[in-house]
Structure formats: structure tokens, C-alpha cells
Amino acid sequence: MAVSTSAPRPSARTTPRRAPRALRSAERLCHATGLLLVSSGLAHLVVFAVDGGPWDGPVSWRKPVTFGLSFGATLIALTWVTSYLRIGERLRTVLLVVLAADCVVEVGGITLQAWRRVPSHLNMETPFDTAVSMTLAVGGGVLVVLLTVFAVASFRRAPAGPAGMALALRSGFAILLVALASGAAMIARGVLLTRTGHQQAAYHSTAPLKPLHGVSLHAVLVLPALAWLLSRTSWGERTRRRAVTTAVGAYAAAVALAGLWPVLGR
């Protein structure tokens, strides 16, 4: 009987393939930018410890701390998880570069206003403050478009990766869209109140949606990271998929609880 000498068919890709030079440069840019933003957040935590002042409210050191850490971690996470998406290399390169620039603009504007001791969002007190506030709003719109493109790509074609990664990515992006929707709702309500002369009410109007926004923002990092960590264990694929499915359910429950928290907390 003749023995076949043909090479076995390659299995489904479980790790991101090596990116071309332009894409690798974009990834390095995003990693460096993300680390810079995280460092900025940590530095302002030190500033808060030294300078003091309130942690809550529209004017506090909390905003450059939390936004620096959150935007930095999200940028690094998205640079990693999008490597599993079946998306054009040129498109991904452009999206990542724009994402990095947008993150810098958002954190930079918030940090600038914190040092000026004025609110960053929904602040229309002066022409300069209005320009900063509108820039942040436009930057938020750009962020929505970029992340929606990534989310759509994750659902159009099954992402690569180890067992459970496709579910983790799709669920992470779906929950991330909840964060974007809640953020857009906060901005829209705040702008409406500001335009109708209720400036102080605008600053406080975002509080009910902040838990939902914060919890849903990082699912796109937590769930894929879990799938990746499970791939380093000796568990079988079926067990790992079940573990990811359970984690997705638990995270979705946490998001639902965060959304209901303003009602339950009354």
C-alpha cells in the first residue's frame, strides 16, 4: 500500500500570526501609548495623595487617575485581542493608530482640565472650556465608531485563538458596546441639561450610569485573558469552553446588576 507523503492540513490558527512591519509598528505604538497613559494615571494618584481634595465630583484628581488607567489598559487590551480578529491588516493598522491618538486626546483633555481645577466634561463656562468639552465628546464619538468596527468584525468571521476565545471576544465586544451606549447616554443627557441652563444638574446626571459604564468597559480584556490563561492549563477543550461560557454568564450578570444598581440602591 502506498504511503502518503503529503503534509497534514494545517489546523485552525490558535495564535495570532506574525504581523507585517507596519502593523507591528502600530502595535508597538499602542503598547507604548497605553503604558504612558497608565503611568499618567498612577502619577496622578500620587498627586492626589499629596495634594488631597475630594475624590468624587466633577473637579477632582480621580478623573485623570481613572481615565489614565482605564484608557491605557483598554488600549493595550484592544491591541492584543484584535490580533485574533480576522480583519484586514491595513484596516487594523489604521484603526489602532487612530485609537491610540484618540485615547491620548481624551486623557490629555481630562488631565488638562484637572490641573486647571475645572470640570472636563459638560463644561461650557468659557469658550476654551467649551472647546475642550466638545473635543472630548467628539473623541468619544470616534471611539464608538472604532470599537463598533472591531465588534462587527468579531461577529462577521469567527475569531482565531484557543478554545473559548471566539466566545470570549464576541461577548467582550458585545458588553463593550453596552459601555459605549451608557457613555453616550451620559454625555447626551449632560449636554441637554447644560444647554437648558442646568449646569450643576448636568454634572450629577451621570452618576446613575457610572457603575454600568465602568463594569462593562473591561469585559473585552477580562474574558479573552481568561480564555488565554485556560489554554495554558491541561484541561480539555470542552472543559475550557464551559469555563469561558460560565465566566461570560457571570460577567453578564454583573453588568445587569450594575445597570439595576441605581434602582436597587434607592
Side-chain angles (χ1 to χ4, degrees):
M1 179 183 293
V3 178
S4 174
T5 58
S6 60
R9 294 182 63 184
S11 58
R13 180 163 61 99
T14 59
T15 56
R17 59 190 175 85
R18 185 171 176 79
R21 183 174 180 179
L23 184 51
R24 293 199 304 272
S25 298
E27 290 175 337
R28 286 194 294 268
L29 171 66
C30 289
H31 288 148
T33 303
L35 290 174
L36 179 63
L37 296 179
V38 169
S39 299
S40 174
L42 294 175
H44 282 89
L45 188 60
V46 176
V47 172
F48 169 71
V50 173
D51 186 61
W55 180 252
D56 294 319
V59 181
S60 70
W61 293 117
R62 169 187 55 84
K63 300 190 76 172
V65 170
T66 56
F67 276 79
L69 295 175
S70 182
F71 270 85
T74 300
L75 178 58
I76 294 171
L78 287 170
T79 304
W80 171 56
V81 301
T82 56
S83 64
Y84 290 103
L85 299 182
R86 301 183 189 275
I87 187 173
E89 294 164 349
R90 182 175 299 178
L91 175 59
R92 181 169 169 249
T93 300
V94 173
L95 292 176
L96 287 178
V97 171
V98 175
L99 177 62
D102 194 40
C103 288
V104 171
V105 170
E106 291 291 300
V107 177
I110 290 164
T111 303
L112 170 65
Q113 296 297 71
W115 281 96
R116 294 182 65 235
R117 304 299 179 120
V118 296
S120 54
H121 294 85
L122 310 175
N123 184 359
M124 311 292 181
E125 295 294 336
T126 69
F128 182 82
D129 292 329
T130 300
V132 173
S133 181
M134 294 308 298
T135 298
L136 294 176
V138 171
V142 172
L143 196 63
V144 169
V145 173
L146 294 174
L147 299 184
T148 300
V149 172
F150 284 136
V152 170
S154 73
F155 282 94
R156 287 188 62 186
R157 299 180 63 189
M165 181 61 79
L167 174 61
L169 279 169
R170 285 171 167 173
S171 301
F173 275 113
I175 295 174
L176 181 61
L177 293 180
V178 174
L180 297 178
S182 59
M186 286 191 289
I187 293 174
R189 179 170 173 77
V191 169
L192 177 62
L193 289 170
T194 298
R195 295 299 188 187
T196 55
H198 301 88
Q199 186 68 60
Q200 292 302 315
Y203 292 144
H204 298 290
S205 66
T206 61
L209 288 175
K210 283 183 178 179
L212 175 62
H213 183 71
V215 171
S216 55
L217 190 62
H218 298 293
V220 75
L221 168 59
V222 174
L223 296 176
L226 174 63
W228 181 85
L229 288 172
L230 289 173
S231 71
R232 266 55 188 171
T233 69
S234 59
W235 294 1
E237 289 192 2
R238 180 176 296 182
T239 302
R240 283 183 275 147
R241 287 194 176 93
R242 287 177 178 173
V244 172
T245 301
T246 301
V248 169
Y251 208 109
V255 170
L257 179 62
L260 293 173
W261 187 255
V263 178
L264 298 176
R266 290 179 180 177

